[in-house]
Amino acid sequence: MKKIFLRALKICGGIVFLVVLFRIIGIEEIIEAFLSLEVRYLFLIAGLILLSILTDPLRFLVLYWPVCEKKINVKEIYKHRLFSQIIGTFTPSRVGELSILYTMKKKYNVKIKKMAYAMAIDKGITFICYLIFGIIGLIVILNDRINAQKMIGIGLILSIMLGLYLFIFNRFYAKSKSRIIKFFVQSVSFFLYCLKEKKRFLMMNVMMTFLAILLVALIGKITLFAFGYSVSFKELFYLNNIIGLLGILPLNILGVTAKELGALYLFTFIKIPAHITASMLVIVITLRYIIYFIWFVSVYRFQYQRNKK
């Protein structure tokens, strides 16, 4: 009963937070933005989001399948990864993605270590890509647009990120510090093994990660264009990497993460008003959730019909 109450309290708190956030941005401005939306672009945006959802699990697949100790059908690994990916969307820092360790272990009795290493390497490659292109973006795109006030704002964001990580680590992971260090060392060893023996699959993951970042930037460009704003693809690409770094923060309020909150601020660098950014995020998040809902219903109906037979 206590857990249900706390969960309900969190949901209510999240709703209040979102209402206050939209009030600050301007509800009337957001409504006007939606009225100006070119509806015909929604089908293209939904198609690109679906493509992003369906291709994301492939990055894990190319790392894990070649080293899996059992001959498991590629489709099965893909389905489990897709399911954990969707679950991860609704959890802080996407920890729900770890559910694949449980589901694969339960169904196929495989060792979870290689899966965990593959996930760690996949996340590591993504983080390095975000970091490299994010730094380039700060230097090339934002260098001449950052005044003292915005520098202070970015400094505060980075300080909050560092403070949150230190707090969370000391609060929840202090006792597991040695295990975390051990896992990190083992993940690096697994990466070196892949670099030596499975270099082709490692390079495939890097290429897929780069294409995934390009796809997200393309979704943003088309969505902004649907609202009547034409933005340089290069600027969106670099900004997407900077915003991607915020995704490591353990924040998730009814699907709104640190990435979305960071986007509201960072998109002002390319002269996109906050209410347009908010409207764009609402469209993208809503379409993503609709696709997830359709997927869940389809899977449930398939399972129900199969069990009925």
Side-chain angles (χ1 to χ4, degrees), residues 49-119:
I49 292 173
L50 178 61
L51 179 63
S52 174
I53 292 171
L54 294 177
T55 54
D56 275 351
L58 296 176
R59 301 204 304 270
F60 167 80
L61 186 63
V62 297
L63 290 176
Y64 176 64
W65 182 71
V67 297
C68 183
E69 65 270 18
K70 291 188 176 182
K71 292 184 179 180
I72 304 174
N73 192 299
V74 175
K75 292 181 180 179
E76 291 299 313
I77 300 176
Y78 175 85
K79 287 192 293 185
H80 282 271
R81 178 56 182 149
L82 179 61
F83 177 77
S84 68
Q85 176 184 298
I86 294 174
I87 296 298
T89 305
F90 301 94
T91 56
S93 288
R94 305 180 71 89
V95 294
E97 293 187 4
L98 298 176
S99 62
I100 189 175
L101 304 179
Y102 170 77
T103 56
M104 288 286 289
K105 173 71 174 177
K106 183 179 179 181
K107 188 169 183 179
Y108 301 106
N109 194 29
V110 293
K111 296 178 181 179
I112 67 173
K113 281 189 176 181
K114 287 184 178 179
M115 281 189 289
Y117 297 154
M119 291 184 71

Side-chain angles (χ1 to χ4, degrees), residues 290-306:
I290 290 172
I291 292 171
Y292 287 161
F293 176 76
I294 294 172
W295 184 84
F296 273 118
V297 171
S298 301
V299 170
Y300 176 79
R301 288 187 63 183
F302 174 77
Q303 292 289 347
Y304 175 78
Q305 290 174 0
R306 190 172 67 173

Side-chain angles (χ1 to χ4, degrees), residues 7-242:
R7 188 172 298 176
L9 191 63
K10 286 181 180 179
I11 293 173
C12 291
I15 293 172
V16 171
F17 171 81
L18 293 178
V19 170
V20 172
L21 181 64
F22 278 105
R23 291 281 292 180
I24 293 173
I25 296 171
I27 294 178
E28 292 182 1
E29 288 82 356
I30 293 175
I31 293 174
E32 289 178 3
F34 275 111
L35 292 175
S36 66
L37 175 69
E38 291 282 349
V39 180
R40 57 183 175 174
Y41 289 105
L42 290 179
F43 298 101
L44 177 58
I45 297 167
L48 291 174
I49 292 173
L50 178 61
L51 179 63
S52 174
I53 292 171
L54 294 177
T55 54
D56 275 351
L58 296 176
R59 301 204 304 270
F60 167 80
L61 186 63
V62 297
L63 290 176
Y64 176 64
W65 182 71
V67 297
C68 183
E69 65 270 18
K70 291 188 176 182
K71 292 184 179 180
I72 304 174
N73 192 299
V74 175
K75 292 181 180 179
E76 291 299 313
I77 300 176
Y78 175 85
K79 287 192 293 185
H80 282 271
R81 178 56 182 149
L82 179 61
F83 177 77
S84 68
Q85 176 184 298
I86 294 174
I87 296 298
T89 305
F90 301 94
T91 56
S93 288
R94 305 180 71 89
V95 294
E97 293 187 4
L98 298 176
S99 62
I100 189 175
L101 304 179
Y102 170 77
T103 56
M104 288 286 289
K105 173 71 174 177
K106 183 179 179 181
K107 188 169 183 179
Y108 301 106
N109 194 29
V110 293
K111 296 178 181 179
I112 67 173
K113 281 189 176 181
K114 287 184 178 179
M115 281 189 289
Y117 297 154
M119 291 184 71
I121 292 172
D122 180 34
K123 294 297 180 184
I125 291 173
T126 302
F127 176 78
I128 291 171
C129 288
Y130 280 151
L131 188 62
I132 293 172
F133 292 120
I135 291 173
I136 294 173
L138 284 171
I139 295 172
V140 176
I141 302 298
L142 304 180
N143 185 44
D144 58 342
R145 304 182 187 182
I146 300 178
N147 53 33
Q149 185 178 0
K150 290 182 177 180
M151 281 295 293
I152 292 172
I154 293 174
L156 285 173
I157 292 173
L158 293 175
S159 299
I160 292 170
M161 286 175 62
L162 179 61
L164 277 172
Y165 260 91
L166 290 174
F167 170 78
I168 291 167
F169 187 83
N170 290 326
R171 178 70 176 81
F172 299 103
Y173 302 110
K175 296 180 180 179
S176 307
K177 190 179 296 183
S178 61
R179 282 186 292 176
I180 293 173
I181 294 173
K182 183 180 178 181
F183 175 76
F184 176 77
V185 172
Q186 291 172 337
S187 297
V188 172
S189 299
F190 184 75
F191 171 78
L192 294 175
Y193 164 77
C194 291
L195 193 61
K196 183 180 179 180
E197 303 292 338
K198 308 290 181 181
K199 186 184 294 185
R200 179 174 52 136
F201 297 101
L202 202 60
M203 291 301 103
M204 287 174 64
N205 180 277
V206 174
M207 290 177 61
M208 288 178 181
T209 300
F210 178 69
L211 291 174
I213 297 173
L214 286 176
L215 183 57
V216 172
L218 181 61
I219 292 170
K221 181 174 178 60
I222 294 174
T223 308
L224 287 172
F225 189 76
F227 284 106
Y229 283 80
S230 181
V231 182
S232 166
F233 182 80
K234 181 175 71 173
E235 291 181 337
L236 273 177
F237 172 77
Y238 285 126
L239 271 181
N240 177 58
N241 286 277
I242 298 171

